Amino acid sequence: MDFLANLALGFGVALTPANLGFALVGCLVGTLVGVLPGIGPVATVAMLLPLTFHLEPVSGLIMLAGIFYGAQYGGSTTAILVNMPGETSSVVTCIDGHQMARNGRAGAALTVAALGSFFAGTVATFMIALFSPPLAKVGQSFGAPEYFSLMVVGLIAAVVLAHGSIIKAVAMVLLGLLLGLVGTDGQTGGQRFTFGITILSDGIGFVPLAIGVFGLGEVIANLVHPQQRRDLVSSKISNLWLTKEEFKQAWPASVRGTLVGSILGVLPGGGATLSAFAGYVVEKKLARDPSRFGKGAIEGVAGPESANNAGAQASFIPMLTLGIPGNAVMALMIGALTIHGIQPGPQVMTERPALFWGMVASMWIGNLMLVIINLPMIGLWVQLLKVPYRQLYLAILLFSAIGVYTVNNNSFEVILTALFGVLGYVFIRLECEPAPLLLGFILGPLMEENLRRAMRISGGDPMIFLNRPISLGLLIAAALLLLVVALPFIRGKRDEVFQG
Amino acid sequence: MPAPPPRFHFLRRADVLAGLLFIAVAVIGLWASRHYPIGTTTRMGTGYVPRLLCWILLALGALIVVQGLRAGGFIELGRPIWRAMVFVPLSLLVFAFLIGPFGVVAATVALVLVGALAGRESRPLEVVAVAVLLVVLTLTIFVWGVGLPIPVWPEW
């Protein structure tokens, strides 16, 4: 069986002592930063990205995946213990997880989050192994028009799933596309928007953009609007075990959450956050006694935590097989692959099977490591949470600066980061969601290239996008997505979901 | 009685400002790309896609402004905003300019000292302690641990 042979190849790569070590370091560092409040997974991954640049591509990606999962886990720990989501996908975990902690069941909440995530991660890893090859095959049959339409779907989905005004989200996509075009035009060699700055002819780096907009913007926001006092549950977390009753309530929720997350994660625009919200809604709807929710219902932790991990992992599928990022973190992953000299797309699986399957296998290993290291190390993470923000943000600033600087040993990128930081805060204040911007930024050059190719094939006739069946289907899907969100009924639901 | 709205309050709405921001970017983009060759649809030149995007962005920006004018409310501006908005980026700029000639140790200390001005509740002794700790961490993790090729000490 191909499937098993592929996984065997992957585990062969991932289980070498060196790569196990990198996975472990990645998980640890990711959790460490993920625990810190006020830095989301995008900023975490962006900040730690430079640590992986000096490694072999496989090892670098394995470590990066570890960082990503670590950040996810860290986020739920803060959600449960401090009622502060380390990242948006843990927002719902706060609701019941923190109540459980206040009821003296912090240990159980952490265990259920960890085990639920591990279960979801295992299932999602198998899903990746199962569905990636056929999807990549589909991708290989795509021509320029299909790719262009696919990216349109991805961007529309990102817009639809962004908070707040849709027009603003579209404008953010356009802004991202424009920023992505800065530099030398790959086709004609012409300079665009470089304003005479030589370094800009290589384009704007995505690390400065991501760290600035997502990381520094948040820091400024946190300084301007200090968080209310953190509600740290500091009673000793003695009992990590679930009671029989809790286990009975939790496992079906975990399975349902995994299912929800696996499906939503694959969709463009999906991923951890959407999955977590959907997972919570499902649990509340199915519960025999919905009034328990919000008061420490264990299903309210198990469902969304499984869903967000499954979703986070499933969102690797379109990224790895088609080269299309479904969300901001995947956009970062694409950037990281490119820095390692790998052009993401369907050819990765066939041309670099060891890299592809090694990464898939390391996802499962990373999930396992997180269960093992996280539960015993809870005490350490709690200590970290006691560090006041007035000290913490200085460390964030420093690691951002060093992270950006070491990408190219280039001071200019640090300056750029500072500017993007201000812009990031402006976006927060003006209620412009930055995720669509990052997606547009990553997809900008790719979209232009495919648009140009498509136009050359068709001799300048835009009908080519409607004449080819797959492309037409994708564009119809994009149009439906927009239409659906425009309907007043769904609009209300969408706002409701985002209100959490 | 509610406080009277500030002057130019219609300009202080999130959507109006966001729209104006998009318009500004679009206008700058159109101006900067005024000499870029457009080419034809079949063979697109350097300026084709960027100018197209700028025009769409301009239209969207205008739409957002109009929407914003119809909505209510305004955003508060205050002293702490400027503090954080000036000193956070400034701390990175200081780092950027110092790390080349003076090395990461000096740059780290400078970043922490400038960055501390961004917060409202920084305590001098604590800031010094944080600076020392972060220098130690930087050296152990990034320089000796990962072996990043960055200048450590001033070069003379």
Side-chain angles (χ1 to χ4, degrees), chain A residues 50-51 54 165 167-168 170-172 174-175 177-178 181 185 187-195 216 219-220 223-226 388 390-391 393-395 397-406 409 411-412 414-419 422-423 425-427 429-432 448 451-452 455-456 458-462, chain B residues 13-15 17-18 21-22 25 28-33 36 41-47 49-50 53-54 56-57 60 63-64 67 75-77 80-81 84-85 88-89 91-93 95-97 99-100 104 108 111-112 115-123 126-127 130 134 137-138 141-142 146 148-151:
Chain A
L51 290 180
H54 303 272
S165 151
I167 310 181
K168 269 154 91 182
V170 176
M172 290 295 275
L174 287 170
L175 197 57
L177 290 170
L178 277 171
L181 294 181
D185 177 2
Q187 308 264 313
T188 63
Q191 298 289 306
R192 295 198 280 214
F193 305 128
T194 50
F195 300 99
L216 293 186
V219 169
I220 299 177
L223 288 174
V224 175
H225 319 276
R390 61 170 192 276
Q391 297 168 13
Y393 82 90
L394 294 169
L397 291 182
L398 176 69
F399 293 144
S400 302
I402 294 180
V404 173
Y405 180 78
T406 48
N409 269 13
S411 280
F412 176 73
V414 183
I415 297 169
L416 215 52
T417 311
L419 294 177
V422 175
L423 198 61
Y425 176 66
V426 169
F427 288 150
R429 284 310 294 275
L430 300 185
E431 292 149 33
C432 297
E448 189 193 26
L451 177 66
R452 276 172 159 166
M455 287 300 109
R456 207 161 306 154
S458 73
D461 181 6
Chain B
R13 287 175 193 149
D15 278 6
L17 288 174
L21 176 72
F22 293 130
V25 172
I28 294 171
L30 285 172
W31 175 81
S33 62
Y36 296 176
T41 307
T42 315
R43 298 193 65 83
M44 293 181 188
T46 308
V49 173
L53 291 174
C54 284
I56 305 176
L57 189 61
L60 286 178
L63 205 62
I64 295 167
Q67 267 192 345
I75 22 181
E76 296 283 346
L77 300 171
I81 294 190
M85 259 177 105
V88 166
S91 69
L92 264 84
L93 293 185
F95 180 92
F97 287 112
I99 186 163
V104 75
T108 298
L111 176 140
V112 171
L117 297 173
R120 272 174 291 179
E121 36 180 70
S122 298
R123 304 166 190 180
E126 201 178 81
V127 171
V130 170
L134 285 178
L137 277 179
T138 304
I141 300 175
F142 294 107
V146 191
L148 292 178
I150 43 178

Side-chain angles (χ1 to χ4, degrees), chain A residues 146-183:
Chain A
E146 284 81 13
Y147 258 110
F148 181 81
S149 302
L150 184 64
M151 291 183 223
V152 172
V153 177
L155 289 180
I156 296 282
V159 164
V160 168
L161 293 169
H163 299 229
S165 151
I166 291 181
I167 310 181
K168 269 154 91 182
V170 176
M172 290 295 275
V173 166
L174 287 170
L175 197 57
L177 290 170
L178 277 171
L179 286 172
L181 294 181
V182 171

Side-chain angles (χ1 to χ4, degrees), chain A residues 255-343:
Chain A
V255 173
R256 285 189 293 264
T258 303
L259 200 70
V260 169
S262 306
I263 295 168
L264 291 179
V266 183
L267 300 181
T273 308
L274 178 71
S275 304
F277 279 104
Y280 193 75
V281 173
V282 166
E283 289 314 313
K284 211 170 162 180
K285 282 260 146 74
L286 286 180
R288 235 174 275 151
D289 176 15
S291 68
R292 283 174 48 243
F293 282 78
K295 294 177 193 150
I298 196 162
E299 303 99 300
V301 180
E305 275 299 308
S306 304
N308 83 27
N309 207 39
Q313 204 153 327
S315 60
F316 271 92
I317 296 177
M319 191 280 280
L320 285 173
T321 57
L322 303 173
I324 304 292
N327 53 45
V329 182
M330 288 306 125
L332 273 188
M333 287 283 173
I334 293 218
L337 282 166
T338 320
I339 288 185
H340 279 293
I342 299 156
Q343 182 60 49

